[in-house]
Amino acid sequence: MPPAMPETRTPQPGRLRRVNRSLPAFRAILALILREMSTRYGRSPGGYAWALLEPLGGILILSFGFSLLLRTPSLGNSFLLFYASGYLPFTLYQDLSNKIARSIGFSRALLYYPAVTWLDAVLARFVLNALTGILVTYVLLFAILAAADTRVTVDMGPVIAAIGMSMILGLGVGMLNCALMGLFPVWETVWSIAMRPLFIVSGVFFLYEDMPANVQAILYWVPLIHITGEMRSGIYPSYAADYVSLAYVAAIALICLVMGLILMGRYHRTILNA
């Protein structure tokens, strides 16, 4: 009797279709990331150094300005560390939301090719700017900790949670604004004007607990005030940000993300051809 032939499994058609779709999408996202890296960082003097110098400059200006008015910050004794703990998650959110909101405009010429979709453009910008923001936050935060010689033991759990919430909120708000700016070009101007006070009310240079009760009732609905509070609770062991609700931040981010995805899925051709 001849030996039995080994059984060969035929790949399932559904699995093949998923693989065939995912590989071109991965290549398109990687190509868009490399394109933005060369465009944004490769053509400017200093390149990636500006990603570090820009937030560092903002932190130094805040520290110097408030050190002239106050003897000590609201937490600890280092102005650099206090303002970095609020400024870094804020800039991570702001950079992500702004870049994602302008994804279609930045990659419009490439979106006419069938291999590149609007979702590829959004994901490419999110991945590149999220990774850059995480690197900048890590380098600057621990460089300031070393320079300030505060001997602080950082609790990485709240710090990672704050960075993650900044990324998710930036993705959600950016996705929704990407659709709204494409459908209503005037929305970009309206949003820019409406968000100018955001830096002031996000808790970058004050503590939520230092505000009067009636102001706290309003500030509570600002998602970024929860993110900065969570960040500082990880850096300052004595600070307990009891008001923080990461579930609220996640809910706002997911609502914006779902609404943005629905609008882009329905109107992406209209936005692209506008």
Side-chain angles (χ1 to χ4, degrees):
M1 179 181 294
M5 297 297 291
E7 182 181 355
T8 59
R9 294 184 178 181
T10 304
Q12 298 178 2
R15 184 178 299 175
L16 285 176
R17 283 196 294 268
R18 287 195 296 271
V19 172
N20 290 337
R21 281 197 295 263
S22 61
L23 287 178
F26 176 78
R27 288 196 293 265
I29 292 172
L30 182 60
L32 289 169
I33 290 174
L34 295 174
R35 172 178 175 265
E36 181 164 354
M37 288 176 65
S38 63
T39 302
R40 185 178 177 187
Y41 301 110
R43 297 180 183 177
S44 60
Y48 261 95
W50 287 111
L52 291 168
L53 294 176
E54 186 177 357
L56 178 60
I59 294 168
L60 289 173
I61 291 172
L62 281 174
S63 302
F64 177 75
F66 281 94
S67 66
L68 298 177
L69 302 174
L70 304 171
R71 290 187 177 182
T72 58
S74 299
L75 287 173
N77 54 16
S78 171
F79 283 97
L80 276 177
L81 184 58
F82 179 76
Y83 294 119
S85 63
Y87 190 82
L88 289 174
F90 173 84
T91 54
L92 176 58
Y93 154 78
Q94 187 178 53
D95 189 59
L96 276 174
S97 62
N98 288 340
K99 293 295 189 304
I100 293 171
R102 294 168 177 82
S103 298
I104 302 301
F106 182 79
S107 302
R108 184 180 296 272
L110 299 176
L111 295 179
Y112 291 102
Y113 293 95
V116 183
T117 67
W118 63 268
L119 189 57
D120 296 334
V122 170
L123 289 176
R125 288 211 120 183
F126 173 72
V127 171
L128 175 60
N129 290 284
L131 292 177
T132 303
I134 292 171
L135 177 63
V136 169
T137 301
Y138 177 84
V139 171
L140 289 182
L141 182 60
F142 285 94
I144 290 170
L145 281 169
D149 192 23
T150 57
R151 299 179 183 178
V152 170
T153 302
V154 177
D155 184 356
M156 292 303 299
V159 172
I160 292 172
I163 293 173
M165 286 297 103
S166 295
M167 293 166 53
I168 295 173
L169 186 63
L171 175 62
V173 173
M175 188 76 258
L176 181 58
N177 280 337
C178 184
L180 293 177
M181 289 177 185
L183 293 171
F184 313 103
V186 71
W187 177 251
E188 183 172 0
T189 303
V190 173
W191 180 258
S192 177
I193 295 172
M195 290 299 103
R196 284 176 183 174
L198 187 63
F199 181 76
I200 299 174
V201 300
S202 295
V204 174
F205 55 87
F206 64 86
L207 291 179
Y208 176 83
E209 293 85 354
D210 291 343
M211 297 292 105
N214 58 337
V215 178
Q216 289 183 13
I218 299 173
L219 290 177
Y220 184 85
W221 302 105
V222 179
L224 281 165
I225 199 79
H226 299 266
I227 294 175
T228 54
E230 183 73 3
M231 185 78 167
R232 284 177 174 142
S233 69
I235 295 175
Y236 297 95
S238 61
Y239 179 60
D242 297 327
Y243 67 92
V244 169
S245 174
L246 295 184
Y248 168 69
V249 180
I252 296 295
L254 291 177
I255 289 171
C256 292
L257 179 60
V258 170
M259 290 176 62
L261 289 172
I262 292 173
L263 289 174
M264 286 299 300
R266 174 67 178 81
Y267 297 106
H268 66 274
R269 295 186 185 277
T270 303
I271 293 172
L272 186 60
N273 295 322

